[in-house]
Amino acid sequence: AQSVTQLDSQVPVFEEAPVELRCNYSSSVSVYLFWYVQYPNQGLQLLLKYLSGSTLVKGINGFEAEFNKSQTSFHLRKPSVHISDTAEYFCAVSPSRSNDYKLSFGAGTTVTVRA
Amino acid sequence: NAGVMQNPRHLVRRRGQEARLRCSPMKGHSHVYWYRQLPEEGLKFMVYLQKENIIDESGMPKERFSAEFPKEGPSILRIQQVVRGDSAAYFCASRTGESYEQYFGPGTRLTVT
């Protein structure tokens, strides 16, 4: 079984400032890692994913994340946020060697960007 | 190619009634997942289906909940005799058989009064 912990439930940040959202996971098997964004009253949109290879992955909207196997972390960063980045962000994992790929999600981090 | 469609987007039911939530996967996607998002919580896996088969229902409550994905038509999540604790957002996601990546629908927000 897998579990995901998002260490910050709320992150207020000023426009054009950097932001980091922290995610740690626990799993007895190798996993794929994902970050999703959810805008109010909408579904989830994939921001980026780590499958294998380079530990620094780049996604849409200027986001990037770094996979750290020894610390079992997958933190999300953006160097300069916009008002439009106000949303809820979810870290998720799925087993990489399985035939179902069901996702286990963290509880989410609400990012509020202020002018 | 239209995305994953869910309807209704909002559903209000009184306690004891039945709720039927529909999910039309993306064209060419034969794998469907249902997730539930309770207030202030992340999404929790409920069930994974392929056409006409339930593959994994380990996240489904044992009573009152059922899911199907028939050969033709949308996937249906059915909740019988709803209770207030069923109030949540229910999301459907789909993928092809060759890919791990799931695409999410906009969700159905169920309110039980």
Side-chain angles (χ1 to χ4, degrees):
Chain A
Q2 293 77 45
S3 67
V4 179
T5 302
Q6 291 183 241
L7 295 148
D8 308 290
S9 59
Q10 309 258 356
V11 174
V13 58
F14 285 106
E15 193 174 19
E16 298 183 7
V19 70
E20 179 179 76
L21 309 184
R22 296 178 293 168
C23 172
N24 286 91
Y25 70 94
S26 172
S27 177
S28 56
V29 299
S30 61
V31 294
Y32 294 151
L33 296 137
F34 306 85
W35 275 99
Y36 285 87
V37 60
Q38 184 181 29
Y39 298 104
N41 297 314
Q42 294 188 28
L44 276 70
Q45 181 181 4
L46 182 64
L47 275 178
L48 49 75
K49 58 187 178 284
Y50 173 79
L51 308 180
S52 64
S54 172
T55 57
L56 183 64
V57 292
K58 295 190 183 295
I60 62 170
N61 301 342
F63 284 93
E64 63 180 32
E66 184 147 24
F67 170 56
N68 187 319
K69 188 173 181 179
S70 62
Q71 297 188 6
T72 59
S73 67
F74 190 53
H75 300 335
L76 180 71
R77 292 189 289 263
K78 185 169 182 177
S80 175
V81 296
H82 303 291
I83 298 287
S84 59
D85 292 321
T86 294
E88 189 149 22
Y89 293 79
F90 292 98
C91 182
V93 302
S94 74
S96 61
R97 291 191 186 89
S98 89
N99 60 359
D100 66 20
Y101 300 120
K102 65 186 180 188
L103 292 164
S104 299
F105 286 88
T109 298
T110 301
V111 173
T112 305
V113 181
R114 301 169 183 165
Chain B
N1 189 2
V4 178
M5 311 280 282
Q6 289 188 250
N7 66 82
R9 294 290 307 274
H10 299 274
L11 182 61
V12 179
R13 285 287 178 265
R14 292 199 192 98
R15 278 178 296 170
Q17 290 185 319
E18 179 180 286
R20 276 181 182 249
L21 288 62
R22 293 175 191 79
C23 168
S24 297
M26 289 178 68
K27 187 176 180 181
H29 288 199
S30 57
H31 298 242
V32 164
Y33 300 78
W34 286 93
Y35 295 87
R36 177 165 66 174
Q37 184 179 28
L38 293 168
E40 309 299 324
E41 293 186 21
L43 283 75
K44 296 280 195 286
F45 166 79
M46 298 182 75
V47 62
Y48 163 47
L49 310 104
Q50 294 180 29
K51 284 283 186 182
E52 300 184 277
N53 288 303
I54 296 174
I55 307 302
D56 182 344
E57 56 181 347
S58 58
M60 287 273 272
K62 293 289 183 269
E63 298 178 350
R64 302 188 297 108
F65 284 72
S66 62
E68 62 178 12
F69 188 17
K71 188 177 179 182
E72 302 290 337
S75 175
I76 306 286
L77 180 67
R78 182 182 177 206
I79 311 172
Q80 295 178 290
Q81 299 175 324
V82 296
V83 301
R84 288 229 172 99
D86 297 332
S87 294
Y90 292 82
F91 289 95
C92 167
S94 72
R95 68 175 176 89
T96 68
E98 293 76 39
S99 173
Y100 59 86
E101 187 169 341
Q102 297 177 33
Y103 293 81
F104 281 80
T108 294
R109 279 153 182 84
L110 172 66
T111 302
V112 179
T113 61

